[in-house]
Short mmCIF file of all heavy atoms in Angstrom, two decimals:
data_model
loop_
_atom_site.label_atom_id
_atom_site.label_comp_id
_atom_site.label_asym_id
_atom_site.label_seq_id
_atom_site.Cartn_x
_atom_site.Cartn_y
_atom_site.Cartn_z
N GLY A 964 9.42 41.93 20.75
CA GLY A 964 10.48 42.19 19.71
C GLY A 964 9.91 42.59 18.33
O GLY A 964 8.65 42.66 18.18
N ARG A 965 10.84 42.89 17.47
CA ARG A 965 10.38 43.37 16.14
C ARG A 965 11.08 42.58 15.01
O ARG A 965 12.17 42.03 15.18
CB ARG A 965 10.75 44.85 15.94
CG ARG A 965 10.09 45.71 16.94
CD ARG A 965 10.80 47.10 16.89
NE ARG A 965 10.58 47.78 15.62
CZ ARG A 965 11.51 48.58 15.09
NH1 ARG A 965 12.63 48.93 15.68
NH2 ARG A 965 11.27 49.06 13.86
N VAL A 966 10.39 42.42 13.86
CA VAL A 966 10.98 41.85 12.68
C VAL A 966 10.84 43.01 11.56
O VAL A 966 9.74 43.27 11.17
CB VAL A 966 10.18 40.61 12.17
CG1 VAL A 966 10.82 40.05 10.93
CG2 VAL A 966 10.28 39.53 13.28
N VAL A 967 12.04 43.49 11.14
CA VAL A 967 12.04 44.51 10.10
C VAL A 967 12.57 43.95 8.83
O VAL A 967 13.72 43.54 8.85
CB VAL A 967 12.88 45.72 10.63
CG1 VAL A 967 12.86 46.87 9.48
CG2 VAL A 967 12.43 46.23 11.99
N PHE A 968 11.73 43.97 7.80
CA PHE A 968 12.14 43.46 6.51
C PHE A 968 12.01 44.52 5.46
O PHE A 968 10.98 45.14 5.27
CB PHE A 968 11.19 42.24 6.15
CG PHE A 968 11.52 41.65 4.81
CD1 PHE A 968 12.62 40.95 4.64
CD2 PHE A 968 10.63 41.90 3.68
CE1 PHE A 968 12.93 40.37 3.29
CE2 PHE A 968 10.93 41.34 2.43
CZ PHE A 968 12.09 40.59 2.24
N ASP A 969 13.09 44.72 4.78
CA ASP A 969 13.17 45.72 3.76
C ASP A 969 12.65 47.04 4.28
O ASP A 969 11.95 47.75 3.53
CB ASP A 969 12.44 45.27 2.51
CG ASP A 969 12.88 45.88 1.22
OD1 ASP A 969 14.02 46.43 1.17
OD2 ASP A 969 12.27 45.72 0.23
N GLY A 970 12.95 47.41 5.45
CA GLY A 970 12.62 48.67 6.04
C GLY A 970 11.27 48.77 6.73
O GLY A 970 10.90 49.81 7.22
N GLU A 971 10.48 47.64 6.61
CA GLU A 971 9.08 47.65 7.21
C GLU A 971 9.01 46.63 8.33
O GLU A 971 9.53 45.49 8.22
CB GLU A 971 8.11 47.30 6.14
CG GLU A 971 6.69 47.31 6.56
CD GLU A 971 5.70 46.99 5.51
OE1 GLU A 971 6.18 46.74 4.31
OE2 GLU A 971 4.47 46.84 5.73
N ASP A 972 8.35 47.16 9.43
CA ASP A 972 8.10 46.23 10.58
C ASP A 972 6.99 45.24 10.22
O ASP A 972 5.81 45.67 10.01
CB ASP A 972 7.75 46.96 11.78
CG ASP A 972 7.73 46.19 13.07
OD1 ASP A 972 7.72 45.00 12.96
OD2 ASP A 972 7.69 46.75 14.18
N ILE A 973 7.31 43.94 10.00
CA ILE A 973 6.30 42.97 9.68
C ILE A 973 6.02 41.98 10.77
O ILE A 973 5.27 41.00 10.60
CB ILE A 973 6.75 42.16 8.41
CG1 ILE A 973 7.98 41.36 8.74
CG2 ILE A 973 6.91 43.01 7.18
CD1 ILE A 973 8.42 40.33 7.62
N GLY A 974 6.54 42.24 11.97
CA GLY A 974 6.39 41.39 13.20
C GLY A 974 4.92 41.15 13.42
O GLY A 974 4.25 42.18 13.70
N GLY A 975 4.36 39.95 13.47
CA GLY A 975 2.91 39.73 13.74
C GLY A 975 2.02 39.74 12.68
O GLY A 975 0.86 39.43 12.75
N LYS A 976 2.55 40.21 11.43
CA LYS A 976 1.70 40.16 10.35
C LYS A 976 1.48 38.70 9.81
O LYS A 976 2.30 37.85 10.00
CB LYS A 976 2.26 41.01 9.18
CG LYS A 976 2.25 42.48 9.41
CD LYS A 976 2.77 43.28 8.29
CE LYS A 976 2.93 44.79 8.57
NZ LYS A 976 1.49 45.39 8.86
N PRO A 977 0.29 38.33 9.22
CA PRO A 977 0.12 37.04 8.76
C PRO A 977 1.06 36.52 7.66
O PRO A 977 1.63 37.32 6.97
CB PRO A 977 -1.44 37.04 8.26
CG PRO A 977 -1.59 38.45 7.88
CD PRO A 977 -0.80 39.23 8.76
N PRO A 978 1.06 35.21 7.40
CA PRO A 978 2.12 34.65 6.42
C PRO A 978 1.89 35.27 5.07
O PRO A 978 2.94 35.50 4.40
CB PRO A 978 1.74 33.16 6.45
CG PRO A 978 1.34 32.93 7.87
CD PRO A 978 0.45 34.02 8.24
N HIS A 979 0.67 35.49 4.53
CA HIS A 979 0.57 35.97 3.25
C HIS A 979 1.09 37.41 3.15
O HIS A 979 1.56 37.83 2.04
CB HIS A 979 -0.95 36.00 2.79
CG HIS A 979 -1.80 37.05 3.43
ND1 HIS A 979 -2.56 36.67 4.56
CD2 HIS A 979 -1.99 38.28 3.21
CE1 HIS A 979 -3.27 37.85 5.05
NE2 HIS A 979 -2.91 38.85 4.13
N ALA A 980 1.11 38.14 4.21
CA ALA A 980 1.75 39.48 4.14
C ALA A 980 3.23 39.42 3.99
O ALA A 980 3.85 40.11 3.23
CB ALA A 980 1.36 40.26 5.36
N ALA A 981 3.85 38.44 4.67
CA ALA A 981 5.28 38.26 4.53
C ALA A 981 5.64 37.73 3.15
O ALA A 981 6.59 38.22 2.50
CB ALA A 981 5.80 37.20 5.56
N THR A 982 4.80 36.93 2.57
CA THR A 982 5.03 36.38 1.22
C THR A 982 4.80 37.61 0.15
O THR A 982 5.68 37.70 -0.77
CB THR A 982 3.91 35.36 0.83
OG1 THR A 982 4.05 34.24 1.77
CG2 THR A 982 4.21 34.81 -0.58
N GLN A 983 3.88 38.35 0.34
CA GLN A 983 3.65 39.46 -0.57
C GLN A 983 4.78 40.51 -0.57
O GLN A 983 5.20 41.07 -1.53
CB GLN A 983 2.36 40.24 -0.22
CG GLN A 983 1.15 39.43 -0.64
CD GLN A 983 -0.19 40.05 -0.20
OE1 GLN A 983 -0.25 40.90 0.80
NE2 GLN A 983 -1.21 39.66 -0.69
N ARG A 984 5.35 40.63 0.65
CA ARG A 984 6.55 41.58 0.75
C ARG A 984 7.88 41.00 0.19
O ARG A 984 8.86 41.70 0.16
CB ARG A 984 6.65 42.06 2.19
CG ARG A 984 5.47 43.03 2.53
CD ARG A 984 5.27 43.20 4.08
NE ARG A 984 4.38 44.14 4.32
CZ ARG A 984 3.05 44.00 4.17
NH1 ARG A 984 2.53 42.83 3.75
NH2 ARG A 984 2.13 44.88 4.47
N GLY A 985 7.92 39.73 -0.01
CA GLY A 985 9.12 39.13 -0.59
C GLY A 985 9.81 38.07 0.20
O GLY A 985 11.12 37.94 0.04
N ILE A 986 9.10 37.41 1.11
CA ILE A 986 9.75 36.36 1.85
C ILE A 986 9.18 35.04 1.42
O ILE A 986 8.01 34.78 1.58
CB ILE A 986 9.59 36.51 3.39
CG1 ILE A 986 10.19 37.77 3.90
CG2 ILE A 986 10.23 35.28 4.17
CD1 ILE A 986 10.03 38.05 5.32
N GLY A 987 10.08 34.18 0.88
CA GLY A 987 9.64 32.86 0.37
C GLY A 987 10.32 31.81 1.29
O GLY A 987 11.43 31.99 1.83
N ARG A 988 9.64 30.60 1.33
CA ARG A 988 10.26 29.54 2.30
C ARG A 988 9.92 28.14 1.88
O ARG A 988 8.93 27.96 1.13
CB ARG A 988 9.78 29.78 3.72
CG ARG A 988 8.33 29.41 3.97
CD ARG A 988 7.93 29.35 5.38
NE ARG A 988 8.74 28.32 6.17
CZ ARG A 988 8.54 28.00 7.47
NH1 ARG A 988 7.72 28.86 8.22
NH2 ARG A 988 9.18 27.06 8.08
N THR A 989 10.73 27.18 2.32
CA THR A 989 10.42 25.85 2.29
C THR A 989 10.25 25.34 3.71
O THR A 989 10.42 26.18 4.57
CB THR A 989 11.49 25.03 1.52
OG1 THR A 989 12.63 25.09 2.32
CG2 THR A 989 11.74 25.53 0.19
N PHE A 990 9.90 24.10 3.90
CA PHE A 990 9.57 23.57 5.15
C PHE A 990 10.40 22.33 5.57
O PHE A 990 10.72 21.61 4.66
CB PHE A 990 8.01 23.25 5.18
CG PHE A 990 7.10 24.46 5.09
CD1 PHE A 990 6.67 24.73 3.74
CD2 PHE A 990 6.67 25.11 6.21
CE1 PHE A 990 5.90 25.93 3.73
CE2 PHE A 990 5.81 26.17 6.06
CZ PHE A 990 5.43 26.57 4.82
N GLN A 991 10.63 22.25 6.80
CA GLN A 991 11.35 21.10 7.30
C GLN A 991 10.59 19.80 6.87
O GLN A 991 11.27 18.82 6.47
CB GLN A 991 11.49 21.15 8.87
CG GLN A 991 12.27 19.96 9.48
CD GLN A 991 12.39 20.16 11.01
OE1 GLN A 991 11.88 21.10 11.59
NE2 GLN A 991 13.01 19.21 11.59
N ASN A 992 9.41 19.74 7.10
CA ASN A 992 8.49 18.62 6.58
C ASN A 992 7.83 19.00 5.37
O ASN A 992 7.04 20.05 5.36
CB ASN A 992 7.49 18.15 7.70
CG ASN A 992 8.14 17.75 8.99
OD1 ASN A 992 9.12 17.00 8.95
ND2 ASN A 992 7.74 18.33 10.14
N ILE A 993 8.12 18.33 4.29
CA ILE A 993 7.61 18.76 2.88
C ILE A 993 6.14 18.97 3.02
O ILE A 993 5.31 18.18 3.40
CB ILE A 993 7.99 17.68 1.99
CG1 ILE A 993 9.49 17.64 1.69
CG2 ILE A 993 7.31 18.08 0.53
CD1 ILE A 993 9.96 16.52 0.77
N ARG A 994 5.72 20.17 2.41
CA ARG A 994 4.30 20.58 2.46
C ARG A 994 3.81 20.88 1.01
O ARG A 994 3.64 21.98 0.59
CB ARG A 994 4.01 21.68 3.36
CG ARG A 994 4.32 21.51 4.80
CD ARG A 994 3.95 22.64 5.69
NE ARG A 994 4.36 22.45 7.04
CZ ARG A 994 4.12 23.40 8.04
NH1 ARG A 994 3.35 24.39 7.79
NH2 ARG A 994 4.56 23.07 9.26
#
């Protein structure tokens, strides 16, 4: 499958790549 974010396929890219492109997150278990 694919993950397309803001027009770009980011599926399989590392977490820092998702962050740089504009995806922020919190965690179920506080980190």
Side-chain angles (χ1 to χ4, degrees):
R965 300 168 61 212
V966 178
V967 179
F968 177 72
D969 206 14
E971 181 180 358
D972 190 345
I973 63 167
K976 293 186 183 296
H979 71 265
T982 302
Q983 288 173 342
R984 285 161 177 77
I986 299 178
R988 73 169 293 181
T989 65
F990 295 87
Q991 181 178 358
N992 299 312
I993 294 173
R994 297 186 187 179

